Amino acid sequence: MSLATFTQSEALTLGVELELQLVSMYDHDLSPQADDLLRELDKHPGAWDVKPEITRSMIEIGTSIQRQHAPLVAELTDLRQQLSRAARKLNIGIAGGGTHAYQHWSEQQIYPTERFHYISELYGYLAKQFTVFGQHVHVGCEDGDTALWLLHALSRYVPHFIALSASSPYVQGVDTGFDSARLNSVFAFPLSGRAPFVRSWDEFGQYFDKMTSTGVVQSMKDFYWDIRPKPEYGTIELRVCDTPLTVDKAAALACYLQCICRYLREEKPFEPAEDDYLVYTFNRFQACRFGLDGEIVDPKTKTRQKLRDDILRTLARVDEHALDLQALEASNLIRETLFEGNDAQWLRSRRKGGVPLSAVVEDATKRWMA
C-alpha cells in the first residue's frame, strides 16, 4: 500500500477529537452503552461528528474545521449539550478524564467493527486496556514538507500538552502517582512514541513503503505516535493530551497549540534536528509523572528548567500570535491552569478526606455535563 498524497489544507485550521467515558448513574462505573447513545444522536443537527471507539463504554466526537477560539468553544458547547441531553434519556453520564478511576479492563467489550476486531486479535489484552481517553488536535498544513517540519518543531512542546491536560491519576482504583497514567497504556503499543526524523514528504513516503513491505504496517492508523501526519486530512495530529474534564479546557489546549504553530512557522526560532529527541523521552516522562511540577531539559542548551516556567515563557512569546488569532481567552485559561493546577490535581482534591472514588467520578461527570 502506497502512502496517500498529502491533501492541501488551509494553514492553522483546527479540528478537535475527544474520547469520552460513558458512566452508569447507578455505580458510576463505565457502562457499555455506546450503541444506545449513538442511536439517540443519529440525527443530531450539529456540524460535529460522533462515532464509536474501541470498547463499548466510550465514544469519540470530532468538531468541524475551525479557525478561531470562540466558534470552537461554541461548537464544543453545543456538542456537550446534545450529548448530555441524550445521555440523560439513557440514565448514563458522560465524563472527561484520561482514565476511568476504577474500571477493570477485563470487563470491557470490544466494539464490533472490523478495525477494532483486528486490533484485538493483534494486540490481545492491550486492546481492552486501551479503554483510555484522549484529546487529539489536528492542525492544517498546506503541504507534506511543512507538516513534517512542524511535527518535529513541536517535539519540544509535547511536555506542555501532557502536563496541562493531565487528568488520569487513577487506574483500577489506585492512585498511580502519575498525573497522566493514560500515556503508559499508549506506550505499550510497539508503534508508539515519536515519529522518525524525516523532513520531506517524499522521504516519509519511502519510510512508509519500507514499513508496509515488512507487513507490520497497513495504514497510517497503525502508527500510535505522539504526533503523526494525517495526509488524507492535510493535517498533523497531536495525540498526547488526556481528555480534559471540561470542553473549555479542550478548546484552550487546541488554541494554545494553534498559537505555538503560528509562532514556529512565522518566527522560526530554531531549526528542528534529530538531536532534539535525545531528551524527548525523559521530558515526556517528567510531564506524565509530575505534571506541571516536572522538570525538562532544553535539547539545545542542555539546561534543566521547571516545566511550569517553560510554559509561562512560551505563553509570553506567543501572546502576539494569540492576539492575531483571537485566542487570548484561551491563553488566559492556560495561565490559570498553571496556578490553579491541572485536572489530575482537581481529581485528587476531590478524594481528600477518604471520599470514595465513585464520588470522584460522579463529580467529574457533573463537571463535564455542566
Side-chain angles (χ1 to χ4, degrees), residues 147-369:
L148 290 171
W149 184 92
L150 192 57
L151 182 156
H152 294 302
L154 284 170
S155 68
R156 295 189 183 193
Y157 300 94
V158 162
H160 291 205
F161 291 92
I162 294 173
L164 287 165
S165 69
S167 59
S168 52
Y170 298 109
V171 173
Q172 297 196 91
V174 176
D175 188 331
T176 62
F178 280 71
D179 274 18
S180 177
R182 164 187 160 270
L183 280 174
N184 293 328
S185 296
V186 179
F187 217 35
F189 285 78
L191 298 174
S192 62
R194 47 155 289 199
F197 190 76
V198 294
R199 290 286 302 271
S200 74
W201 194 246
D202 287 343
E203 189 180 357
F204 187 82
Q206 295 169 20
Y207 167 82
F208 184 83
D209 289 343
K210 289 178 182 178
M211 290 299 291
T212 54
S213 70
T214 66
V216 172
V217 168
Q218 296 182 4
S219 74
M220 284 297 300
K221 288 183 178 180
D222 294 320
F223 295 114
Y224 292 87
W225 296 329
D226 293 343
I227 315 176
R228 70 182 179 188
K230 290 288 282 186
E232 64 271 34
Y233 294 161
T235 65
I236 56 170
E237 179 188 14
L238 179 75
R239 300 165 50 83
V240 297
C241 294
D242 287 356
T243 298
L245 298 182
T246 65
V247 294
D248 289 339
K249 173 70 75 64
L253 287 164
C255 291
Y256 179 51
L257 177 63
Q258 183 188 39
C259 293
I260 291 175
C261 287
R262 190 175 192 263
Y263 160 71
L264 290 171
R265 287 168 55 102
E266 295 199 0
E267 300 190 28
K268 289 188 167 54
F270 59 87
E271 195 63 26
E274 174 69 50
D275 281 357
D276 290 352
Y277 289 103
L278 291 173
V279 296
Y280 182 83
T281 304
F282 173 83
N283 290 347
R284 187 184 189 276
F285 170 81
Q286 283 281 316
C288 290
R289 173 68 176 85
F290 302 108
L292 296 167
D293 294 323
E295 294 186 342
I296 58 172
V297 176
D298 184 291
K300 293 298 183 189
T301 66
K302 309 301 187 290
T303 57
R304 187 175 293 207
Q305 58 191 316
K306 288 288 187 181
L307 181 48
R308 182 180 274 103
D309 294 340
D310 194 51
I311 296 172
L312 273 173
R313 293 188 189 99
T314 302
L315 284 165
R317 293 185 190 109
V318 305
D319 259 349
E320 179 182 343
H321 301 281
L323 179 63
D324 290 342
L325 292 167
Q326 299 183 37
L328 281 176
E329 188 176 342
S331 294
N332 288 336
L333 196 152
I334 297 298
R335 283 188 174 90
E336 290 173 12
T337 299
L338 293 177
F339 296 103
E340 295 176 0
N342 59 23
D343 287 343
Q345 290 175 274
W346 186 90
L347 290 165
R348 286 189 171 111
S349 74
R350 315 306 289 180
R351 182 81 163 123
K352 288 181 179 177
V355 172
L357 280 173
S358 59
V360 175
V361 175
E362 182 180 14
D363 284 348
T365 302
K366 289 178 179 176
R367 191 174 188 198
W368 197 88
M369 296 176 73

Side-chain angles (χ1 to χ4, degrees), residues 23-26 31 33 84-93:
V23 178
S24 164
M25 299 306 287
Y26 169 67
S31 181
Q33 290 185 257
S84 298
R85 192 178 304 124
R88 289 187 183 101
K89 290 181 182 179
L90 300 169
N91 199 33
I92 58 174

